[in-house]
């Protein structure tokens, strides 16, 4: 579906009719009717994935995230654990891995010297895994409201804003509809 991503009604800028604002508030109130997010991770996640699931599920309770989103959160945690695993492989083996090598034995004055020559090198496959999981993590984090940009779109107010004199008079008009 093309178009702009939805934002919380309190962060909408520009002129909106009272009917549009009322419809938007009703849609937002319906978000709270879904089952709340549980903090127990799925069994199929590895240890790193389970830790990440627990960590972010606590933080996501402040956002309009529900149990329906648990699969997306599990996928995020799984990609996160794969990213960590690939990073550990890169730290251990480096960016390049030796594909083929050949040994030469040289004997000179009764001393045998072994010379190893690398025939070809290629990029460690863990590097590609890190790039791919990094893209997935960024996309899922944005969808779940875990990036600064996505939280700015939500702009969930913590306290009720002070009303101006103009707002006090405008509230009386709400009863007409």
């Amino acid at each position: 579906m093309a178009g702009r991503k939805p934002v919380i009604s309190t962060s909408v800028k520009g002129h909106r009719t009272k009917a549009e604002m009322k419809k938007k508030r009703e849609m937002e109130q319906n978000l709270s009717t879904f089952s709340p997010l549980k903090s127990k991770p799925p069994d199929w996640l590895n240890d790193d994935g389970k830790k990440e699931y627990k960590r972010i599920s606590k933080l996501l309770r402040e956002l309009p995230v529900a149990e329906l989103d648990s699969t997306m959160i599990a996928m995020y945690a799984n990609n996160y654990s794969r990213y960590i695993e690939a990073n550990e492989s890169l730290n251990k083996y480096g960016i390049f891995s030796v594909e083929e090598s050949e040994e030469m034995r040289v004997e000179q004055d009764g001393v045998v010297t072994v010379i190893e020559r690398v025939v070809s090198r290629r990029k460690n496959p863990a590097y590609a895994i890190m790039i791919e999981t990094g893209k997935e993590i960024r996309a899922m984090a944005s969808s779940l409201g875990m990036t600064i940009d996505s939280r700015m779109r939500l702009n969930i107010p913590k306290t009720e804003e002070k009303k101006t004199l103009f707002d006090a008079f405008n509230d009386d008009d709400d009863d007409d509809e």
Side-chain angles (χ1 to χ4, degrees):
M1 182 171 161
R4 294 183 181 195
K5 293 181 180 179
V7 294
I8 299 294
S9 62
T10 56
S11 63
V12 173
K13 294 180 181 171
H15 178 72
R16 300 286 185 262
T17 65
K18 290 181 182 179
E20 288 174 330
M21 292 303 286
K22 183 179 179 183
K23 183 178 178 184
K24 187 92 168 150
R25 279 192 297 271
E26 287 172 358
M27 287 173 51
E28 290 166 12
Q29 288 171 350
N30 286 339
L31 287 175
S32 63
T33 62
F34 294 109
S35 299
L37 180 65
K38 296 175 184 151
S39 60
K40 185 182 182 311
D43 294 334
W44 54 266
L45 285 174
N46 65 15
D47 289 341
D48 286 335
K50 287 179 182 178
K51 285 178 192 173
E52 182 65 4
Y53 186 97
K54 288 176 184 176
R55 184 186 76 83
I56 64 171
S57 65
K58 290 176 188 172
L59 299 171
L60 288 174
R61 287 197 182 99
E62 298 173 20
L63 299 174
V65 177
E67 184 61 27
L68 285 172
D69 303 308
S70 64
T71 301
M72 172 90 60
I73 297 166
M75 289 169 48
Y76 167 86
N78 188 48
N79 275 295
Y80 175 82
S81 70
R82 297 297 174 233
Y83 184 90
I84 298 299
E85 190 177 333
N87 189 45
E88 288 170 356
S89 174
L90 280 176
N91 289 338
K92 185 174 182 179
Y93 299 110
I95 291 181
F96 294 101
S97 60
V98 175
E99 193 162 283
E100 290 181 32
S101 64
E102 60 184 32
E103 273 186 14
M104 292 176 42
R105 294 182 181 273
V106 179
E107 187 175 332
Q108 187 176 13
D109 299 330
V111 177
V112 176
T113 307
V114 177
I115 301 172
E116 185 176 2
R117 187 177 77 113
V118 174
V119 175
S120 66
R121 293 173 16 148
R122 65 181 181 103
K123 221 183 313 184
N124 187 337
Y127 182 74
I129 293 169
M130 275 188 70
I131 298 297
E132 188 61 34
T133 56
K135 289 177 185 175
E136 291 293 323
I137 288 168
R138 280 189 295 280
M140 290 178 203
S142 180
S143 294
L144 292 167
M146 293 169 51
T147 63
I148 187 74
D149 293 338
S150 59
R151 285 192 308 276
M152 292 295 285
R153 279 194 310 268
L154 290 174
N155 192 21
I156 300 172
K158 296 267 184 209
T159 60
E160 190 174 319
E161 296 177 19
K162 289 185 178 180
K163 291 188 176 185
T164 64
L165 188 58
F166 179 76
D167 292 332
F169 285 108
N170 251 357
D171 284 347
D172 293 337
D173 294 339
D174 289 340
D175 296 336
D176 295 341
E177 290 183 73

